[in-house]
Amino acid sequence: MTSLVADVDVLVVGAGITGIYQLYRAREAGFSVQLLEAGGGVGGTWYWNRYPGAQFDSESYTYAYLFSKDLFEEWEWREHFAHQPEIEQYLNHVVDRFDLRRHIRCGAKVSSATYDESSGTWTVVAGDDAKYQAQFLVAASGVLSVPHFPDVPGRDAFRGESYHTGLWPTDPVAFAGKRVAVVGTGSSGVQIIPEIADEVATLTAYQRTANWCTPLNNAPITSEEQAKLRADFDGMCQTLNTSTHGFLHQPHDRVTFDDSKEERREFYEKMWNGPGFTKLTSNYTDLLFDPAANAEWREFIAEKIRGIVEDPETAEKLIPKDHRFGEKRPPFVTGYYETYNRPNVSLVDLRKTPIERVTETGIETAEGLREFDVIVWATGFDFGTGALTRMGIRGRHGLALEDHWADGPKTFLGVQTSGFPNLFFPGGPHAAAGNNPRYNGDQVDFIIEMLVSLRDRGYDIIEVDPVAEQQWTNMVDTWATMPPSFGESSYYFGSNIPGKPRRYLLNSGGRPKFFKEIARARTNDYEAFKPSRSGSPPSPPHPAAAAGAP
Ligand SMILES: Cc1cc2nc3c(=O)[nH]c(=O)nc-3n(C[C@H](O)[C@H](O)[C@H](O)COP(=O)(O)OP(=O)(O)OC[C@H]3O[C@@H](n4cnc5c(N)ncnc54)[C@H](O)[C@@H]3O)c2cc1C
């Protein structure tokens, strides 16, 4: 039997970097709070993805929270791109440092959330039928939190050990001396492959799509750099809070063919040796727009791959032939290509020889059966909407969120969708397109600012105007296809999930578009969110919302 465990103003789902911040901001604003998390601990992505080699592609100090200078000063990141254990420790530290743990329940997977028309509240059921009541429901349930397994025959028949990178066990996995398969060479696959290659007996990488991998160029943070980071904290916040993609990297100011061949070569070397995402954020400004510019950068990377990988046939398999750089999420690597020079590592091209079935002992393709002790599924996630559409969310008149979004998500600012009053989903679809915490943090700040303003004015229900929602969604869809047909094969469009509508799931307007719209929402006293009082009809659409073109 369900029993009411808590009745709060703000109920947060998800203890990742977004949900923890949402919990903190809501409590600091004077709301009563509760957070529910499906996992056994806090950390979100950094709780679940504890496979060897899991680490940031964002610089540690730019990913971390910026709301407390004291916090920043007392936590010294060890590496420019921290590994999972340090990130999980950091998020646990934040939870304890700000006394948030008493508001968090782990092992509490939300299975239903139902809106009550008369009171304007949400009833949420989690875990063992525990019931929660809340005025506002904030689903910070993540965009990469529902692991995806490919539909290959016999996957459950395998009698060895098998793991998904996004569902990694808390007890360490022993790889030493074992025959290991890694299926998938996206961002997670290319992290784990070089990390375990030297201890396993054999490692077979199964690649469906070759990706444009470039070096992460990680390094420990020296004491001089630590001191500089501390001294520059305010300047760093200023840059991060206004940067288009939430990184410190500065955009370049030149287009490719303004430079001579030699200058381009020198610039590409600089990019190759630069940190993480600079290859995308600080490359020539026409990289994603001029096909010839993109082709030249790709040829530079292809040459690098041919130079590193000794077996020409393997090198050719590792060079993408079906997409441009930036069209899919580019992975960043440490020693990935070099791994294929090891005698115990081999690569299977699934485009040529697809998996026919998984047997009790291994994986069978047209090439025959290879036997394994361990299979690692590095096969990604149901990106963007996966967690929200599986939560049993029912809005006005019992409307199911998965039905409302049957053709893809519809949102305003990636924070609300019509028909679901008092529901917010920061860090969900249409939220980020760069360094995630900076975007998601903007959304959390906006949600709290709006809730406080509405509370002060005696409102308790907020529901976004369908007109504003349609305009924002149109903007996302339109901008996502510039340049034309760029990226539709990427999981950004849900393409890795059979049957999922091909709709863009990131925020193609970036932070500038978001900032512009929230400034307008403030000026209009949040009228695009149709504030009302429970028991009274919702206010009609505001003319500004109807007329405005996000
Ligand atoms: C391996 C990996 C590396 C990454 N590296 C980077 C990076 O370097 N930079 C970057 O910007 N982004 C990176 N990302 C993206 C990453 O997901 C985000 O940076 C960030 O973790 C998002 O935080 P979040 O709190 O919004 O979501 P999450 O961290 O995904 O947390 C969501 C939480 O909600 C919980 N949840 C979901 N559904 C329910 C439910 N029904 N009931 C209860 N709880 C639920 C989940 O268990 C999860 O713990 C990476 C992702 C992966 C998988």
Side-chain angles (χ1 to χ4, degrees), residues 110-226:
V110 172
S111 53
S112 75
T114 312
Y115 181 69
D116 181 275
E117 299 273 350
S118 56
S119 62
T121 58
W122 285 89
T123 301
V124 171
V125 176
D128 295 335
D129 273 355
K131 199 164 91 176
Y132 300 81
Q133 202 87 30
Q135 189 71 46
F136 302 107
L137 175 61
V138 185
S141 44
V143 283
L144 290 165
S145 54
V146 176
H148 171 68
F149 290 91
D151 190 16
V152 289
R155 190 170 53 77
D156 295 332
F158 183 61
R159 280 197 300 186
E161 301 163 65
S162 74
Y163 306 97
H164 191 290
T165 48
L167 273 177
W168 206 259
T170 46
D171 290 334
V173 174
F175 282 107
K178 293 185 179 163
R179 299 164 302 167
V180 178
V182 176
V183 184
T185 54
S187 299
S188 297
V190 300
Q191 285 184 335
I192 191 171
I193 287 168
E195 194 70 21
I196 60 172
D198 65 345
E199 59 173 318
V200 299
T202 60
L203 193 156
T204 308
Y206 287 85
Q207 172 187 277
R208 187 184 59 173
T209 307
N211 281 291
W212 292 108
C213 303
T214 53
L216 180 64
N217 294 317
N218 191 18
I221 305 179
T222 64
S223 48
E224 293 76 39
E225 287 169 334
Q226 298 283 12

Side-chain angles (χ1 to χ4, degrees), residues 66 232-243 248:
L66 302 176
D232 288 350
F233 178 72
D234 295 332
M236 185 183 84
C237 291
Q238 169 78 14
T239 307
L240 289 175
N241 287 335
T242 51
S243 119
L248 289 177

